[in-house]
Amino acid sequence: DYVWLPILEACLPDCGWKGVSWDKAASLIDRFTGNFSVFTRVEKVSADYEEYARENPLIVGREWLTVHFKYLEEYGDQVFDMACQMLSKVDFSDLERIKTLVTGLRSSIENKLVPYALRYAGVRSRRKLSRYNAVMELVDGLSSVANIGRISRMDPGEIAENLRRIYRKIFSSGAVFHVTADRKGCSKARIQFEKFARELKLKLMPTRPQDYVQRFCSELKLTGEVQSKATD
């Protein structure tokens, strides 16, 4: 399922939701927020924070699908309502839009291969060293490039069904809320989030499974030819 995370990132905020087309959703986002994005957060725990990680196993040392938005304080009610509608009613039913987004994502990452070649090579060379490096290769390395290319050739209906399945699994796995604001803004956001959490039936995360790097290795294999060219 990890290979689908870049596709989910691209489609979740830009497909619209039940009863709201993607272009109307984009208009609402532009009207009430300064930024609304979805991304996978993958971080390794440094040696300085190992003790903190042991004390906070539900939060530290795991991957996150992050829904991030900025807004003016006076738009808080509208933004939380919009986010609630999107997260509860997204159904990935606009197959034409999904095909457009996946094709655009494939084109975007393929255009990065040459200018970021050293970075991709570095990520791939470290892929078997740790869980963090294996996940990085799956979601943001050469394996991701290959998988997005493969997925882009799939039937849009099959893509949509996989997105629904994976999104349901992530959504039901718990959540954490983080806000950056002044004291007044934090107080208002706490009230708004309590309502938001009740309506979405959000819950605390379960204990993270002990997944080891070997479980990812089978997904990191690439097929292709090694070519060399002698030069004078």
Side-chain angles (χ1 to χ4, degrees):
D1 288 347
Y2 274 64
V3 304
W4 284 88
L5 292 179
I7 307 295
L8 185 59
E9 288 179 34
C11 293
L12 180 56
D14 289 314
C15 277
W17 53 88
K18 192 172 183 179
V20 178
S21 63
W22 71 266
D23 52 337
K24 185 177 180 180
S27 178
L28 289 170
I29 289 171
D30 290 343
R31 179 181 177 186
F32 294 117
T33 74
N35 171 277
F36 197 105
S37 57
V38 176
F39 58 92
T40 304
R41 184 181 294 275
V42 182
E43 300 287 350
K44 60 181 175 181
V45 179
S46 68
D48 293 338
Y49 286 90
E50 287 181 355
E51 183 178 352
Y52 180 78
R54 288 192 294 271
E55 294 172 352
N56 298 271
L58 296 185
I59 297 175
V60 183
R62 66 197 307 163
E63 296 81 46
W64 294 92
L65 184 72
T66 300
V67 179
H68 175 268
F69 48 87
K70 298 179 181 179
Y71 61 93
L72 296 175
E73 189 177 308
E74 55 264 33
Y75 291 144
D77 291 337
Q78 293 94 326
V79 170
F80 273 92
D81 180 66
M82 181 184 68
C84 184
Q85 294 295 314
M86 185 198 81
L87 294 174
S88 62
K89 294 185 177 181
V90 62
D91 59 1
F92 305 107
S93 60
D94 189 338
L95 301 186
E96 183 176 348
R97 179 61 176 167
I98 286 176
K99 187 66 176 178
T100 298
L101 291 170
V102 175
T103 301
L105 176 63
R106 183 196 66 195
S107 177
S108 176
I109 64 168
E110 287 178 351
N111 288 336
K112 295 178 181 178
L113 280 174
V114 173
Y116 293 97
L118 288 177
R119 178 200 168 277
Y120 278 107
V123 171
R124 182 146 188 89
S125 69
R126 297 188 295 269
R127 68 192 185 278
K128 296 183 180 181
L129 296 180
S130 67
R131 174 197 170 92
Y132 163 77
N133 287 294
V135 174
M136 280 295 294
E137 168 65 12
L138 274 179
V139 303
D140 199 25
L142 284 175
S143 294
S144 176
V145 176
N147 285 317
I148 291 171
R150 173 180 59 81
I151 292 171
S152 70
R153 295 186 290 272
M154 293 172 58
D155 179 84
E158 186 177 356
I159 295 174
E161 183 53 41
N162 275 282
L163 291 177
R164 294 187 195 104
R165 176 181 60 81
I166 294 167
Y167 179 66
R168 284 194 297 267
K169 289 176 66 174
I170 295 174
F171 190 86
S172 63
S173 295
V176 64
F177 177 64
H178 173 82
V179 59
T180 301
D182 60 17
R183 190 180 299 275
K184 179 183 175 184
C186 284
S187 297
K188 290 191 68 174
R190 179 185 292 273
I191 295 171
Q192 290 159 339
F193 180 72
E194 287 176 356
K195 176 184 176 184
F196 178 80
R198 286 196 303 270
E199 291 181 353
L200 288 179
K201 296 181 174 61
L202 298 182
K203 61 182 183 180
L204 191 66
M205 303 78 60
T207 302
R208 181 175 68 82
Q210 293 298 314
D211 291 328
Y212 299 98
V213 62
Q214 290 83 359
R215 294 187 62 182
F216 291 98
C217 286
S218 62
E219 302 294 336
L220 303 177
K221 298 175 182 178
L222 295 178
T223 59
E225 297 180 0
V226 177
Q227 297 182 350
S228 61
K229 183 177 181 181
T231 57
D232 294 331

